[in-house]
Amino acid sequence: MLCLSSPVLVCALEIAFILDSSESALTFHFEREREFVRSFSRRITQLQVTGWYLQTRIAALQYSSSVSIVQSFANWHDLDTFLSRIDAMAYIGQGTYSSYAISNATELFVRETKEENVRVALLLTDGVDHPRNPDIIAAAAEAKSHNIKLFTIGLSSMVRDSHNRAKLRAVASAPSHQFVHSLSDPDLEERLHQELVMSTTPDMKPCE
C-alpha cells in the first residue's frame, strides 16, 4: 500500500471488539453488546481523520470460560459480512475469563496485523472475573506492549463497585478518562468516536 498522490496519506486501522458472553454478563447485556457492536462498527467504517485515508479492518471475539473468534482480521471482507457474523453469535454463559480474551485478542493482532498499524481493542466486561481467571493486569500489559490501545467498556451496575472500577482503569490504556467507558452511557458512541481520533492520530503512519 502506497501513499496517495494527493496530500492525503493512507493508514491501516485495526479494531477488535471483545464481547463478554459469560453467565454474569447475562443474556440481556449480551444483546446490548451486540447492538453496540452493530451500531459502532458502522460508525467506525465511516471514521475520518483530516489528512488521512483510513484503511479499516474490524475483528470480533466473544468469551466466557473459552474464547471464540467471530471475525478475524485476515478474513475481513466488508461491513455487511461482519454484521451477519455478529447476528449469528450465540450466548455462551459459563464463567468469566477476561484474561484469556485479552490474550487471544493480542495473539490475533500479532498474527494478522502489522506492528506499525494502529491497533485498538475494545473490551466489554461486567468487571467480575472467575476466581481462577489468570492475572488480567499481566494480560493487559502484554497487549499494550504490542502497541494495542485498550479500551474497557463496563456493562452493568457492577462496574460502579470501586474494586471493579479500579480494575477497569488498570486494564485500560492511560489516561483512564479516555479509555474507560460505560455501555449505559447514552453518549458512548460519540465519546468513543472522539477518543479514537484523539488517541490514535499520534500513532498513525503511512502504509507501505
Side-chain angles (χ1 to χ4, degrees):
M1 292 179 288
L2 301 175
C3 297
L4 301 177
S5 57
S6 68
V8 177
L9 301 177
V10 180
C11 175
L13 175 62
E14 320 278 9
I15 298 182
F17 291 97
I18 310 173
L19 290 80
D20 190 339
S21 188
S22 64
E23 58 190 4
S24 55
L26 304 176
T27 306
F28 167 72
H29 292 302
F30 183 65
E31 291 305 320
R32 290 181 62 207
E33 289 179 78
R34 292 207 299 177
E35 182 53 41
F36 162 71
V37 173
R38 293 185 193 102
S39 178
F40 195 57
S41 61
R42 293 186 182 98
R43 184 179 288 231
I44 287 172
T45 56
Q46 298 173 4
L47 184 66
Q48 296 181 358
V49 177
T50 302
W52 293 89
Y53 171 76
L54 301 183
Q55 202 161 52
T56 304
R57 295 192 301 177
I58 306 174
L61 305 88
Q62 68 176 124
Y63 68 97
S64 62
S65 57
S66 61
V67 182
S68 174
I69 298 175
V70 178
Q71 167 74 61
S72 68
F73 292 114
N75 289 332
W76 169 262
H77 293 292
D78 52 47
L79 180 61
D80 288 341
T81 302
F82 173 76
L83 293 176
S84 68
R85 289 176 176 165
I86 296 300
D87 289 340
M89 291 172 63
Y91 174 65
I92 300 174
Q94 304 179 14
T96 311
Y97 288 79
S98 54
S99 296
Y100 294 145
I102 296 172
S103 296
N104 275 262
T106 300
E107 291 173 6
L108 190 66
F109 275 108
V110 172
R111 185 171 64 248
E112 298 187 355
T113 73
K114 295 181 179 180
E115 187 175 358
E116 63 268 23
N117 294 359
V118 177
R119 296 168 165 175
V120 178
L122 294 90
L123 174 69
L124 292 103
T125 176
D126 60 19
V128 181
D129 284 308
H130 191 279
R132 295 182 181 176
N133 182 59
D135 184 0
I136 190 172
I137 305 304
E142 176 67 16
K144 296 169 192 174
S145 74
H146 292 283
N147 296 322
I148 298 172
K149 301 286 188 181
L150 187 53
F151 288 81
T152 54
I153 303 174
L155 300 186
S156 66
S157 59
M158 288 182 181
V159 299
R160 298 191 189 117
D161 174 82
S162 59
H163 173 74
N164 292 338
R165 184 74 177 175
K167 183 167 70 174
L168 294 187
R169 289 190 179 120
V171 169
S173 297
S176 62
H177 71 268
Q178 283 186 233
F179 292 93
V180 179
H181 297 270
S182 171
L183 193 61
S184 61
D185 180 0
D187 298 319
L188 173 61
E189 290 192 28
E190 184 59 33
R191 293 182 195 279
L192 277 176
H193 180 272
Q194 294 176 4
E195 297 301 347
L196 276 174
V197 173
M198 290 176 57
S199 62
T200 62
T201 300
D203 294 332
M204 287 184 176
K205 299 179 179 65
C207 294
E208 296 180 354

